[in-house]
Amino acid sequence: MPIKVSVVIPVYNPGHYIEDCIASLLRQSLPDDEYEAIFVNDGSTDDTPERLDRLAAEYPHMHVIHQEPSGWSGKPRNTGIAAAKGEFIQFVDNDDWLGDEALERMYNYGVENGADVIVGKMAGKGRPVPRELFRKNLPQANVANAPLIDSLTPHKMFRKAFLDKHNLRYLEGRRRLEDHVFVTEAYLRAENVAVLSDYLCYYHVKREDASNAGFQRFDPVGYFKNLREALDVVEELTEPGPLRDRLFRRWLRNEMVERMRGRRLLKLPADYRRELFDEIHKVVVERFGPSVAAGLPPTHQIVAGLIAADRFPDLEEFARWEAEIKPSGVLENLGWENGRLTIGFTAEYKSGGEPIAFRADGEKDLLVPPLPQAALDALALLGADTSAPLGASKADLVVRERATAAEFFQPVEFTREKVAVAGRDGYFRQVLHATSWVDPLSAANGAALDAGIWDVLIRINSCGWTKETRLGSVRSEAAGRGRAGAVVGSPAHLVLPYWTDPHGNLSLDVGGKTNRISYEFAGLSAADATVTTGPDRLTVALPLHVRGESGVTLKLTDGATSRSADLPATLAARATGEAELSAGLPLDELAGGQWRLELILPSAGAGKPVALPLALEVSASGGAEVIPLTAADPAREPGRRKSAARPGRPTFLRRAAGRLRRALKK
């Protein structure tokens, strides 16, 4: 069988961090004879070489090559390319890992779309990854129609014949940004690049010891010398004009401007801060004309202008101002409708706890940065735009799975409002009013959300600030009342919005990953349940939103004998908005017992029962009634501390103690 994909992993002293990488490669859905992994050990001095030798001896499709240390990742990646037998090559770092279906999905997607390069959706575990690039699948992408240039790490799939045709190889030796040079040339030479966004392919991981190569402090002179090599590739393969400017803008923004902003700059030692600034200033004046910075948002233009004008003290002052700017949001509405969770919120930027103020100047809206007039004059001479393009401000809502960092944008609609600042004539703040909808069955770029804890965040993009914050800690009473669990889809898909403890932010428990559903049912009483005869049937009104009808299981357990019975049941919507749990009762088989009630949803923790605070008491003659197991104690809202303990029913305590004594005697 021809090899479809060769995975090349450069290895140097990863220690135990390589285990997740190995495990993910062994879990791939591609058959073992259709892919291979090539670990290139670049002179590791820990136990990794022996670990890889054992792996290769056990699995025929796992290979290891040992070589003398080269000092960086370029040479081991080239060694892997030379040894690869696959139609495509996927690069993986030794402390990262792949999604279980990543190779199969990326290979099929690449072949289907005739791609030379396939970019799979990434999640950053403590590391930044592109976001806008992965909003949706892009089967026919290039640097002109998609933000490919935002993703220059090597963790992609490349057609081997394409690499060989153009003799594309990594620069070798101890150096920086060799991946920028390689990936940029690949993008510019490729016939097609395909972006796969509906499956999480690559997990980019920050090690707990922060010893990933990219996290080490670098020598500014060497770093920006290597950066110029990436710019050389762009100059070689593009003509002067808007496209080249847009590509150059990526390095100006990410590698220069962002390093000189806010807390990222201020946390650096003063001498290193200045050393970085000086090297960045050299590149900016040497390589970037005014048209490159002109395409940046205004706050970026200010930083780029201060760099070009060699005004380091003003740059530090601007950084101190930006460091205090934070996004804020208020959860205004929350509720289920037709299987979708509607989330209404307002959002704006604040500084020092107060909303950011803008100044109206005729038809223009202006930023008000704390800069001296001399700095503003220098920026004006350079053509830097300090206006505030508030008409382009936008808000997004994102759900992010806590364990994997997988995240997905949700549909959102918003309006922009200017609110006058009291006591400051001509000044105003901007508030975004937004509504988003989360459909658990399609929220993952068209697929259902996997079981897990999904945190809800909002992201505000305005004036060059793109920052995110959790949503829910500040909320209206209406939003608090609207929070409820839901069961959607078939088989049943349990989704429970809840407030985190202690911060009170909004998260979604998908698939019963927590026990918080018990809070939803804690307020049930006997009045919520009825038993009918002829036919014998139990119905219970549950505080859940249900779309359609779902099959579930009602588990009955006799507290005295531990006998149990699993009864088929249904959940269906009531006109009141609640769910109705309904199950047929074999009363003759249940006679003489007091049966605790538990609900089992197929997606709830692989069938983990959820206790209801109710029991079905069946007499010897077959008469039945529902009784409470606890006092009428309204459910404590998760995320809010309980102010005082509430006493239980003495009757219940006596019954529980009696059962315990009987159990101990057995």
Side-chain angles (χ1 to χ4, degrees):
M1 178 72 69
I3 301 296
K4 292 180 176 178
V5 182
S6 298
V7 185
V8 173
I9 311 100
V11 177
Y12 180 74
N13 286 353
H16 69 275
Y17 292 100
I18 200 171
E19 295 302 330
D20 286 330
C21 178
I22 292 172
S24 77
L25 291 169
L26 293 175
R27 289 195 306 266
Q28 288 302 300
S29 59
L30 266 184
D32 290 356
D33 60 353
E34 294 185 8
Y35 76 101
E36 64 178 355
I38 304 171
F39 294 87
V40 183
N41 170 40
D42 195 49
S44 295
T45 58
D46 61 3
D47 295 334
T48 304
E50 293 78 11
R51 171 70 177 99
L52 295 177
D53 286 339
R54 294 194 303 272
L55 178 72
E58 185 175 357
Y59 297 97
H61 61 308
M62 299 282 128
H63 312 301
V64 59
I65 298 173
H66 300 285
Q67 65 182 31
E68 293 298 313
S70 66
W72 213 250
S73 299
K75 185 171 183 178
R77 288 194 185 113
N78 289 340
T79 299
I81 294 173
K85 300 176 182 176
E87 182 182 354
F88 286 86
I89 296 175
Q90 169 73 43
F91 294 103
V92 176
D93 282 349
N94 59 196
D95 33 31
D96 297 338
W97 68 82
L98 296 173
D100 293 355
E101 301 173 21
L103 298 183
E104 181 177 16
R105 286 178 179 250
M106 292 176 71
Y107 173 84
N108 290 338
Y109 192 67
V111 170
E112 175 186 341
N113 293 291
D116 292 322
V117 184
I118 305 97
V119 185
K121 183 179 176 70
M122 302 175 71
K125 298 278 288 179
R127 304 192 70 161
V129 296
R131 287 166 170 163
E132 292 296 324
L133 179 61
F134 298 119
R135 277 185 180 266
K136 62 181 181 179
N137 284 350
L138 301 171
Q140 302 287 326
N142 56 56
V143 294
N145 67 14
L148 291 175
I149 203 67
D150 289 345
S151 179
L152 293 181
T153 63
H155 315 117
K156 299 162 179 63
M157 189 176 285
F158 300 85
R159 190 183 297 272
K160 188 173 189 298
F162 163 73
L163 298 182
D164 291 341
K165 175 183 177 180
H166 297 286
N167 194 30
L168 266 171
R169 296 296 186 268
Y170 290 91
L171 297 173
E172 298 184 0
R174 187 165 184 80
R175 51 171 299 111
R176 292 279 184 162
L177 303 180
E178 79 289 342
D179 48 356
H180 285 208
V181 176
F182 180 91
V183 175
T184 298
E185 184 172 355
Y187 283 158
L188 291 172
R189 293 193 183 279
E191 292 293 326
N192 183 42
V193 180
V195 180
L196 178 66
S197 301
D198 59 5
Y199 181 77
L200 187 47
C201 298
Y202 196 93
Y203 295 85
H204 199 26
V205 182
K206 180 181 179 181
R207 288 165 53 159
E208 294 175 359
D209 59 5
S211 62
N212 311 72
F215 279 90
Q216 305 306 303
R217 180 180 293 184
F218 57 81
D219 165 41
V221 174
Y223 186 90
F224 290 103
K225 176 184 177 182
N226 295 152
L227 184 146
R228 289 176 174 90
E229 294 168 338
L231 302 180
D232 292 342
V233 171
V234 175
E235 288 191 340
E236 177 189 352
L237 298 177
T238 65
E239 296 295 327
L243 177 59
R244 179 184 290 181
D245 288 344
R246 180 144 62 88
L247 298 180
F248 275 178
R249 203 169 290 136
R250 183 262 176 228
W251 283 278
L252 175 59
R253 181 186 67 242
N254 288 30
E255 307 300 330
M256 302 178 200
V257 168
E258 287 296 342
R259 295 183 188 278
M260 296 285 104
R261 294 182 74 190
R263 296 184 188 280
R264 187 172 180 183
L265 174 68
L266 299 176
K267 71 180 182 181
L268 298 175
D271 56 343
Y272 184 65
R273 197 187 300 173
R274 181 72 207 214
E275 188 180 358
L276 266 179
F277 175 87
D278 290 341
E279 289 304 316
I280 289 173
H281 169 74
K282 292 176 185 177
V283 179
V284 168
V285 297
E286 287 173 12
R287 304 297 293 265
F288 300 143
S291 57
V292 177
L296 293 172
T299 51
H300 293 196
Q301 286 195 44
I302 290 172
V303 175
L306 293 173
I307 293 170
D310 201 15
R311 300 187 69 91
F312 182 65
D314 294 328
L315 181 78
E316 289 185 307
E317 184 61 31
F318 188 73
R320 281 188 281 271
W321 179 65
E322 281 204 298
E324 298 302 316
I325 295 174
K326 297 179 176 62
S328 68
V330 177
L331 180 61
E332 303 285 2
N333 295 289
L334 186 68
W336 291 95
E337 184 177 359
N338 297 324
R340 297 193 307 173
L341 183 63
T342 301
I343 302 174
F345 62 94
T346 55
E348 65 180 315
Y349 274 110
K350 294 185 176 182
S351 178
E354 296 296 323
I356 293 286
F358 303 92
R359 183 168 63 85
D361 182 17
E363 295 184 357
K364 293 184 68 175
D365 301 324
L366 300 178
L367 289 166
V368 191
L371 292 173
Q373 189 59 48
L376 296 174
D377 292 343
L379 291 173
L381 286 173
L382 291 168
D385 185 3
T386 59
S387 64
L390 299 178
S393 298
K394 66 176 184 177
D396 279 302
L397 186 135
V398 174
V399 293
R400 180 182 298 152
E401 206 282 314
R402 193 175 296 173
T404 64
E407 66 174 37
F408 298 96
F409 289 95
Q410 302 305 299
V412 65
E413 295 179 357
F414 61 87
T415 58
R416 307 176 184 94
E417 180 188 11
K418 292 182 178 179
V419 181
V421 176
R424 299 182 67 185
D425 188 37
Y427 286 81
F428 64 92
R429 46 190 268 252
Q430 184 183 57
V431 180
L432 303 177
H433 300 267
T435 301
S436 182
W437 297 268
V438 180
D439 183 344
L441 302 182
S442 61
N445 280 6
L449 293 177
D450 289 335
I453 305 299
W454 293 84
D455 295 323
V456 177
L457 305 97
I458 59 171
R459 190 171 294 151
I460 310 173
N461 190 319
S462 180
C463 300
W465 300 307
T466 301
K467 299 175 183 287
E468 66 184 25
T469 184
R470 293 294 305 275
L471 182 67
S473 61
V474 181
R475 56 181 179 268
S476 69
E477 291 185 4
R481 291 192 301 269
R483 189 198 59 76
V487 177
V488 296
S490 182
H493 206 74
L494 174 65
V495 182
L496 179 63
Y498 70 91
W499 313 124
T500 62
D501 192 356
H503 300 295
N505 292 312
L506 177 63
S507 293
L508 308 180
D509 175 0
V510 177
K513 286 297 183 179
T514 73
N515 65 351
R516 291 178 180 270
I517 188 66
S518 61
Y519 292 125
E520 309 302 296
F521 297 155
L524 292 175
S525 69
D528 295 307
T530 58
V531 177
T532 60
T533 57
D536 301 331
R537 181 162 291 274
L538 170 69
T539 59
V540 183
L542 299 177
L544 291 173
H545 171 81
V546 178
R547 184 179 183 181
E549 184 175 293
S550 299
V552 295
T553 300
L554 182 64
K555 183 179 182 67
L556 280 67
T557 304
D558 184 5
T561 66
S562 296
R563 289 184 299 156
S564 65
D566 290 348
L567 306 180
T570 58
L571 275 177
R574 280 185 167 183
T576 59
E578 298 174 308
E580 181 174 279
L581 172 66
S582 179
L585 293 176
L587 289 179
D588 54 338
E589 300 176 18
L590 304 176
Q594 187 182 99
W595 302 85
R596 297 193 306 272
L597 305 182
E598 296 176 291
L599 177 63
I600 301 177
L601 297 167
S603 64
K608 181 181 178 181
V610 178
L612 306 182
L614 303 172
L616 179 68
E617 196 163 67
V618 185
S619 67
S621 62
E625 67 171 330
V626 176
I627 63 172
L629 280 180
T630 64
D633 182 9
R636 174 167 67 94
E637 182 181 56
R640 299 296 188 195
R641 297 190 181 278
K642 197 170 183 179
S643 58
R646 297 175 182 265
R649 285 181 184 267
T651 302
F652 167 66
L653 293 176
R654 288 197 298 271
R655 287 174 178 167
R659 290 177 190 137
L660 179 59
R661 287 194 297 271
R662 288 193 295 272
L664 292 174
K665 289 178 180 178
K666 292 181 180 180

